[in-house]
Every structure is written in C-alpha cells, then in structure tokens.
C-alpha cells in the first residue's frame, strides 16, 4: 500500500493517457483520486478548479507537498492534488470500436459533443482556457451520457502564455506561440508574445474539432486534411459545416463559442 499524508492507494502507476502525472484512486475516500509528481506543482490547477463550479468538472479538496510511503517505507517527496475521481471512458476510445456510419452511433457522438459544450463554456465564462483538450481529458459517463472535462494542469487565463502543449491536439495559435517561446530569452519578450498571439476560448474549440473529426472519420485531421464526408458519407451537411468551422486556421473564422457550437449541433 502507498500513502501520501493521509491519502492511501494500492497502485503506483502513471496513466499517461489521462495525466502527465502519476494518478491513483484512493482507497480510504469515496470516489476520490490523487495526482502526484515530484516535479510538478499543482497549486495553479487547485486554485483554477476552486474558481470553477460545474457538475462536469472535477471538484478538488486538497493540494500540497507530502512524503510518499510504500508500506511505511519512505520513498520520495511528492507534490499532489486530491480531486473527484471521474468514472467513465476516454471519449475517443469509447467510439473507436463502434460503427460510426450507423445513424444511432453518429447521433450518440453528436449528443456527446453537445454535452462537452456546457463545461467548456463555463470554463470560458470564467476567463480560462483549458489549453489541453485531447483524448483522455474528455471522459464519457455512459450511465448519464454526460462528458466530463478533466485535467487543468495546462489551463491559463485568457490572453496568457501557454505552460505546455500536446502538439497532436494543439491549435495553430498554440503552435505559433510555442515557436515564439523557443526564441526566449534572447529574442522575444513575454509581453510581445501575449500581445501578438492572444489565446481565447476558440483555442479550445479547434482542439475540440480535432477530436470530433477523429471520432466521426476514425482518421486524424492533421494527417488526412480531407473533408469529413469524403471519409464518412453518412455525416450530415450541417455537421460537416460545424467541423470545418471548428478547424479554421484563423481563429476569427471559427465558431465563436462553445455555446454556439452546442446550438448548431442541436439542430443537426
């Protein structure tokens, strides 16, 4: 058995698809998990989650630094955050084995993305950007049909500087900012970057589009760059238009908000 402070868990493992950090479900607290890392400070994630209040976003209860023990033998100091454990399936994994050309399955996909829009809009209304939407951070609860948005390690205030990036699901403006940051500290100042490349909620919407495209085509947009209906002829025209709008390189040409994405999807 492992322990950090008063928190006990059975396995030391890193679920890379869910978090950069180690993660375990606690055995002494119901429906609660702990993320821990010797290097990563979870204080920012803790305070961001404390500002958010939505049933599809995990609640956090504690963070700090503690000593990791295995069977009462000290191993290493760890930073940690304790938060609600979300039961469910990685959204991409859930649909991977389903017949996406089946009308019922496609309808289920659309309903799932309608559900995603609610917590995402809440985050944006609080002036935050998740900045790391990817498979594993969207968890479908099959019983309720709700999709939960997890892992706010890389979340930033609107207009801020990225703290990290998942290149496969990053927006063009995140990749552009990354290139600017590579020039620091010799060439570019942070103020120059934030004024030149201003990130907002549409950054998350691009990542959402990449995941949506992957599910309904079983292909990666970054590889194919093909219209969804050319891969899956069962995709309705309205959904095709939504996907193209989400995947616009220029943020000003994208759908403006998660709320608008939800409204359009409900009419597909």
């Amino acid at each position: 058995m492992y322990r950090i402070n008063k928190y006990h868990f059975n396995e030391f493992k890193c679920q890379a698809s869910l978090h950069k950090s180690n993660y375990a479900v606690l055995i002494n607290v119901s429906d609660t998990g702990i993320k821990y890392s010797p290097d990563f400070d979870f204080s920012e994630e803790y305070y961001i989650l404390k500002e958010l209040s939505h049933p599809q976003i995990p609640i956090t209860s504690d963070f700090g630094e503690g000593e990791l023990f295995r069977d009462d033998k000290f191993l290493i100091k760890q930073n940690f955050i304790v938060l609600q454990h979300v039961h469910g399936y990685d959204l991409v994994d859930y649909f991977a084995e389903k017949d996406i050309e089946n009308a019922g399955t496609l309808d289920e996909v659309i309903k799932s993305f309608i559900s995603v829009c609610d917590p995402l809009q809440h985050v944006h209304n609080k002036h935050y950007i998740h900045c790391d939407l990817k498979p594993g951070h969207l968890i479908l609860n099959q019983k309720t049909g709700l999709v939960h948005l997890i892992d706010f390690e890389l979340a930033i205030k609107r207009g801020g500087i990225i703290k990290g990036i998942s290149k496969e699901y990053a927006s063009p403006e995140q990749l552009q900012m990354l290139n600017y940051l590579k020039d620091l500290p010799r060439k570019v100042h942070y103020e120059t970057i934030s004024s030149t490349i201003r990130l907002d909620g549409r950054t998350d919407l691009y990542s959402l589009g990449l995941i949506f495209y992957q599910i309904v085509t079983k292909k990666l947009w970054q590889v194919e760059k093909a219209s969804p209906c050319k891969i899956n002829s069962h995709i309705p025209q309205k959904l095709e238009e939504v996907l193209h709008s989400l995947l616009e390189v220029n943020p000003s040409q994208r759908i403006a908000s998660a709320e608008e994405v939800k409204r359009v999807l409900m009419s597909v």
Side-chain angles (χ1 to χ4, degrees):
M1 180 185 297
Y2 294 87
R3 174 176 62 85
I4 299 176
N5 292 0
K6 62 182 179 181
Y7 304 109
H8 297 78
F9 46 98
N10 283 325
E11 295 181 273
F12 181 93
K13 60 183 178 181
C14 182
Q15 299 182 2
S17 62
L18 296 180
H19 311 284
K20 300 194 306 291
S21 315
N22 291 293
Y23 181 79
V25 179
L26 298 180
I27 60 175
N28 59 332
V29 186
S30 177
D31 293 325
T32 305
I34 185 169
K35 286 199 293 183
Y36 51 101
S37 167
D39 305 311
F40 192 83
D41 179 1
F42 296 103
S43 59
E44 286 191 51
E45 182 175 16
Y46 175 84
Y47 288 115
I48 289 172
L49 287 173
K50 281 296 185 182
E51 288 190 50
L52 304 175
S53 179
H54 193 280
Q56 290 161 254
I57 296 174
I59 298 168
T60 183
S61 57
D62 194 12
F63 81 102
E65 184 183 55
E67 297 180 338
L68 176 64
F69 288 87
R70 180 177 61 195
D71 297 330
D72 294 325
K73 180 181 179 181
F74 171 73
L75 297 178
I76 188 174
K77 285 188 176 180
Q78 297 275 351
N79 298 303
F80 69 90
I81 182 170
V82 178
L83 66 177
Q84 177 186 0
H85 177 65
V86 177
H87 297 273
Y89 301 89
D90 172 316
L91 196 59
V92 172
D93 287 348
Y94 176 78
F95 287 108
E97 302 303 320
K98 290 179 175 282
D99 179 7
I100 208 65
E101 295 187 353
N102 178 279
T105 301
L106 196 55
D107 184 57
E108 189 180 5
V109 173
I110 292 170
K111 287 179 179 177
S112 294
F113 277 88
I114 288 172
S115 172
V116 172
C117 291
D118 290 332
L120 199 54
Q121 186 63 51
H122 176 73
V123 171
H124 297 163
N125 286 345
K126 293 289 187 176
H127 309 295
Y128 284 103
I129 314 166
H130 186 279
C131 272
D132 198 23
L133 287 189
K134 61 182 181 182
H137 292 174
L138 298 177
I139 304 298
L140 172 65
N141 183 321
Q142 195 176 8
K143 291 182 179 179
T144 64
L146 296 176
V147 178
H148 295 253
L149 179 58
I150 69 168
D151 203 321
F152 285 75
E153 288 180 15
L154 301 185
I156 62 171
K157 275 286 190 181
R158 186 171 61 206
I161 300 294
I162 57 174
K163 296 185 285 187
I165 197 169
S166 297
K167 284 189 177 181
E168 299 88 346
Y169 295 92
S171 67
E173 57 270 28
Q174 283 175 289
L175 294 172
Q176 184 184 8
M177 183 175 283
L178 178 64
N179 287 333
Y180 272 86
L181 288 170
K182 285 179 179 178
D183 287 335
L184 287 174
R186 292 182 295 105
K187 297 180 181 179
V188 184
H189 295 290
Y190 282 99
E191 295 80 5
T192 304
I193 295 173
S194 60
S195 61
T196 304
I197 309 169
R198 186 167 177 82
L199 304 183
D200 58 27
R202 293 170 296 184
T203 296
D204 286 337
L205 296 184
Y206 185 91
S207 302
L208 191 71
L210 291 176
I211 300 167
F212 208 153
Y213 182 95
Q214 181 177 350
I215 289 175
V216 298
T217 66
K218 298 190 185 293
K219 305 285 185 181
L220 296 176
W221 167 254
Q222 305 92 317
V223 176
E224 298 294 325
K225 294 291 178 71
S227 293
C229 65
K230 290 185 178 179
I231 301 172
N232 181 354
S233 61
H234 294 79
I235 293 174
Q237 180 62 34
K238 276 191 175 181
L239 179 54
E240 172 98 354
E241 292 170 1
V242 171
L243 289 170
H244 278 299
S245 181
L246 288 171
L247 294 171
E248 285 283 354
V249 172
N250 187 339
S252 66
Q253 301 300 315
R254 286 181 213 148
I255 297 180
S257 67
E259 187 176 43
E260 178 67 9
V261 174
K262 178 179 179 178
R263 186 189 67 77
V264 177
L265 288 178
M266 289 181 72
S267 67
V268 170

